[in-house]
Amino acid sequence: MTVARTVELEGHIIDSGTMGACFGAVMDMGGEFEVEEFDVGRHKHAETYCRMRVMADTEEELRAILHELNQQGATVADPRDATLEAAPGDGIVPVDFYSTTNHPTAVRVDGEWHDVEGVEMDCALVVDRADGVRVRTKVLNAIEAGDLVVTGETGIRVDPPERPRNGGGGSFGFMQGGVSSERPSASLIEEIADEMREVNAEDGTVLAVCGPAIVHSGGRDALAAIVKSGYVDAISAGNGFAVHDLERDLYGTSLGVDTESLEHPRKGHKHHIYTISEIARLGGIEEAVAEGVVDEGVMYECVRNDVPYVLAGSIRDDGPLPDTITDSIEAQDAIREQAQEADLVLMLSTLLHSVAVGNCLPSTTKTVCVDINPATVTQLLDRGSAQAIGMVTDIGAFIPMLADELLEASYET
């Protein structure tokens, strides 16, 4: 005996590969399908509609198939309201809770569809009826006993970004950017700069996720100039980036190496820990800027221009700086708040912090990933952003070129 449900697909499902992905998922997971209705859009702006019956041997197998199809944007035909179940305890979700994607999502409650607030992958969906109906994502550790959690696949609609038929969208079109070290950097950087100008003009938010390699490779001054100019609205980084940026100001070194002469000064290997000590003695980065001890660099420009920053700590950190958030849950919440406000994210040569930020981003947020290691760029893009481009290049070359384009000044290293 087989069980079956009917699902619907609508949009540019042929061009974007969605229909093929759904057919493949059903067969790969041991099910079968029968196309009941298929209406192909006949011009470039028209959408395609597909209605198909999905069959499996057991209810459990069918639920697994429907979950996969849901992630691809398929919706169960004749939808019912989502199933809600109260969380049994703090930090505990019902067994069959719905785990979110990073795509725009809607949930059917009381016969109406409600857009999910704070779209983020790997979260639960919680319905709040305190003041009307609100549906929002919650990380598992934030679940409270009694929260109404969405379970199963019923009454959930996912809307993955699609590739338009006309191939539009510029560098940020659906998977148009890809990853390549062969890409003409100058033209791509020009497009990124144009996007930053547009976000700036619309009072949007550009978030830069920064790794220590920016300082080591000589891109620090150019990034500081970009921050000063107002084209970066927030910084997300680790303790290491801030320490080496400050070390460069106090001692002229990064990781104990003179970034100008590439010489190793005596006791240079201790400069980073001396830097942490000096900043801690003053009470923090803002106090060091106020005292005139720090008078240039990225962190200096953040303080002087009221650009908020989140420094998330790790188990490897020396010190750390007083400004570094050492509680990992608190750091996640701070990163999440930044990510949800971002319109454009620059992931600059830091895998771990970029992954952390990427996990909090909706798939529609435009993202630029830059790293000398192609595996790093590929891993970042593969985490689910449909509006992402990648550049395999030296970060010390990329940032000065971006500053040149934005500020019409030379920041060659």
Side-chain angles (χ1 to χ4, degrees), residues 272-296:
H272 74 286
I273 202 70
Y274 290 164
T275 297
I276 294 170
S277 174
E278 287 299 312
I279 300 301
R281 184 175 295 110
L282 293 167
I285 297 172
E286 289 189 24
E287 291 81 357
V289 171
E291 290 289 332
V293 174
V294 172
D295 58 9
E296 64 177 19

Side-chain angles (χ1 to χ4, degrees), residues 189-190 192-194 196-197 200 219-232 301 398-412:
I189 288 172
E190 182 179 347
I192 294 169
D194 286 343
M196 292 176 70
R197 291 189 190 98
N200 182 269
R220 165 189 180 258
D221 290 346
L223 180 57
I226 294 173
V227 173
K228 181 179 180 180
S229 70
Y231 287 110
V232 167
E301 295 298 347
F398 170 82
I399 296 178
M401 289 178 68
L402 181 61
D404 289 350
E405 184 64 39
L406 281 170
L407 311 177
E408 299 181 356
S410 178
Y411 286 91
E412 295 182 1

Side-chain angles (χ1 to χ4, degrees), residues 28 91 118 163 236 294 328 331 360 389:
D28 290 344
R163 175 172 51 219
S236 182
V294 172
S328 62
C360 302
I389 57 176

Side-chain angles (χ1 to χ4, degrees), residues 38-58:
F38 186 46
D39 184 12
V40 180
R42 301 189 181 278
H43 57 80
K44 68 180 181 180
H45 298 299
E47 297 183 340
T48 295
Y49 172 81
C50 176
R51 180 184 176 96
M52 67 178 183
R53 187 170 178 80
V54 181
M55 295 151 283
D57 292 334
T58 66

Side-chain angles (χ1 to χ4, degrees), residues 180-406:
S180 175
S181 56
E182 303 295 329
R183 189 178 313 282
S185 300
S187 61
L188 186 54
I189 288 172
E190 182 179 347
E191 291 188 46
I192 294 169
D194 286 343
E195 189 68 29
M196 292 176 70
R197 291 189 190 98
E198 183 175 337
V199 172
N200 182 269
E202 295 177 355
D203 293 325
T205 298
V206 175
L207 170 63
V209 186
C210 304
I214 293 171
V215 184
H216 307 334
S217 63
R220 165 189 180 258
D221 290 346
L223 180 57
I226 294 173
V227 173
K228 181 179 180 180
S229 70
Y231 287 110
V232 167
D233 304 285
I235 294 281
S236 182
N239 184 70
F241 169 77
V243 169
H244 295 301
D245 174 66
L246 297 165
E247 175 194 342
R248 177 69 177 82
D249 189 20
L250 297 181
Y251 295 97
T253 60
S254 179
L255 270 180
V257 177
D258 189 307
T259 56
E260 300 276 338
S261 66
L262 301 183
E263 294 179 352
H264 293 69
R266 184 172 177 273
K267 293 188 177 181
H269 62 288
K270 296 185 177 182
H271 285 175
H272 74 286
I273 202 70
Y274 290 164
T275 297
I276 294 170
S277 174
E278 287 299 312
I279 300 301
R281 184 175 295 110
L282 293 167
I285 297 172
E286 289 189 24
E287 291 81 357
V289 171
E291 290 289 332
V293 174
V294 172
D295 58 9
E296 64 177 19
V298 179
M299 303 312 299
Y300 169 81
E301 295 298 347
C302 285
V303 172
R304 289 296 303 272
N305 295 281
D306 295 321
V307 174
Y309 54 86
V310 170
L311 304 180
S314 76
I315 197 67
R316 304 169 301 165
D317 289 336
D318 295 320
L321 291 165
D323 304 78
T324 299
I325 303 173
T326 56
D327 183 303
S328 62
I329 301 301
E330 183 183 346
Q332 283 181 20
D333 289 341
I335 289 172
R336 182 170 292 110
E337 184 176 348
Q338 279 191 321
Q340 289 291 328
E341 293 178 355
D343 299 291
L344 172 64
V345 179
L346 306 179
M347 297 179 172
L348 305 175
S349 198
T350 171
L351 174 60
L352 295 180
H353 281 85
S354 294
V355 167
V357 173
N359 284 351
C360 302
L361 292 174
S363 62
T364 50
T365 301
K366 294 179 178 180
T367 306
V368 179
C369 308
V370 184
D371 201 283
I372 195 67
N373 184 349
T376 296
V377 178
T378 300
Q379 182 173 342
L380 292 173
L381 297 191
D382 282 349
R383 295 194 70 81
S385 177
Q387 296 288 337
I389 57 176
M391 289 187 66
V392 180
T393 189
D394 176 20
I395 195 69
F398 170 82
I399 296 178
M401 289 178 68
L402 181 61
D404 289 350
E405 184 64 39
L406 281 170

Side-chain angles (χ1 to χ4, degrees), residues 1-5 56-66:
M1 176 177 160
T2 61
V3 289
R5 291 293 294 275
D57 292 334
T58 66
E59 284 285 354
E60 183 178 358
E61 290 176 354
L62 182 60
R63 279 199 303 269
I65 293 172
L66 291 176

